[in-house]
Amino acid sequence: MLTLLPILAILLLFLFAALKVLNEYERGVVFRLGRVIAAKGPGLIILIPVIDRMIKVSLRVLAMDVPNQDVITRDNVSVKVNAVVYFRVVDPVKAIVEVEDYMFATSQLAQTTLRSVCGGVELDELLSHRDNVNLQIQSILDQHTDPWGIKVTTVELKYIDLPQEMQRAMAKQAEAERERRAKVINAEGEFQAADRLSQAAGIISAHPEALQLRYLQTMREMAAESKSATIIPVPFDLLKGLGSMLGTGQGAQTMPPAAASSAEPRGASVAPSAQPIAAAGEDDTPAAS
């Protein structure tokens, strides 16, 4: 019995070293005497102690933070940009064999790609078309990490740090743009109001009784607003008569005397002055006789 104890102990150690359990999201890349056999898992895996060596690889989506990068855009504006990269391992064997540390390699590649892509666009495009920049970075990363067995699913720019001077300039630009829109809207309102007033004037000129109705409505509004005021209505016919009388009188007073004489020919204006002279001569002749 005592001779079986060492055998049982060796058997237990062998089973402990040979049996491995992998989760559903894990795969094990097995090396036998330094050569890759395959990626095994999930579940129970049996390894040969001392001969086999297994490296676990997670197949879940990993989120990697890209630190702040100093970038000079195409229009020579210095900004700081950081991002987050979402990726997963699709081929565990390539992720272990083709690259030493796929996490570090992907991080360094993401930093350089972020600087190069953001440096090739202008600041306005970087702020307003962020989705296009994200897709461009994602496609470049996915293309370069495909030989490593890594699939980059999403890249998102998290924060863009602008200088204080640029922030103030952008605030002034936005304020000027809003003032321009307000002036345009005000001018459009004035134009529409003038158009409506011209149409109303045409309707009132075609129907004079509409002016009387408007006059009565204005009197009603004035009486409702100020009760202490006294309103004396004046008929429109009286106002028209006074206006015509004043217009006729002013026209007769302001008409220059030369206007009547200039309308007549010069010969007609001389003839009346000659007739009194001739008449005076005829009258003087009998008196002398």
Side-chain angles (χ1 to χ4, degrees), residues 274-289:
Q275 289 177 0
I277 297 172
E282 292 176 355
D283 295 337
D284 294 336
T285 303
S289 59

Side-chain angles (χ1 to χ4, degrees), residues 158-277:
K158 290 199 303 183
Y159 184 70
I160 300 175
D161 189 9
L162 297 175
Q164 294 294 331
E165 295 80 5
M166 184 58 63
Q167 293 181 9
R168 287 193 292 267
M170 293 177 65
K172 291 180 180 178
Q173 180 182 1
E175 184 179 359
E177 179 66 21
R178 291 188 178 276
E179 289 181 357
R180 184 189 67 84
R181 291 180 182 177
K183 291 180 180 179
V184 170
I185 294 173
N186 189 16
E188 290 180 355
E190 293 291 340
F191 176 77
Q192 294 177 2
D195 187 17
R196 294 296 184 182
L197 287 175
S198 63
Q199 295 179 7
I203 295 174
I204 290 175
S205 62
H207 303 280
E209 59 274 7
L211 185 60
Q212 181 70 24
L213 295 176
R214 181 59 182 168
Y215 174 67
L216 296 175
Q217 184 180 1
T218 305
M219 291 178 57
R220 179 183 177 184
E221 293 176 356
M222 292 174 61
E225 290 178 359
S226 58
K227 297 181 179 180
S228 60
T230 303
I231 302 173
I232 301 175
V234 179
F236 272 98
D237 297 335
L238 179 59
L239 293 177
K240 290 181 180 179
L242 292 175
S244 61
M245 290 174 61
L246 292 175
T248 305
Q250 289 179 358
Q253 291 176 3
T254 57
M255 183 175 179
S261 60
S262 61
E264 298 177 356
R266 293 184 178 179
S269 63
V270 175
S273 61
Q275 289 177 0
I277 297 172

Side-chain angles (χ1 to χ4, degrees), residues 73-117:
T73 60
R74 192 168 62 182
D75 50 352
N76 298 325
V77 179
S78 178
V79 296
K80 290 184 178 180
V81 183
N82 60 354
V84 58
V85 180
Y86 298 92
F87 66 96
R88 60 188 296 266
V89 178
V90 294
D91 193 341
V93 176
K94 289 184 179 180
I96 298 300
V97 176
E98 297 295 335
V99 63
E100 181 180 1
D101 187 354
Y102 65 89
M103 289 287 295
F104 179 75
T106 305
S107 174
Q108 295 300 312
L109 182 61
Q111 294 179 26
T112 55
T113 305
L114 179 63
R115 286 195 300 267
S116 61
V117 171

Side-chain angles (χ1 to χ4, degrees), residues 1-10:
M1 184 65 182
L2 295 176
T3 57
L4 296 177
L5 290 177
I7 298 175
L8 291 175
I10 293 173

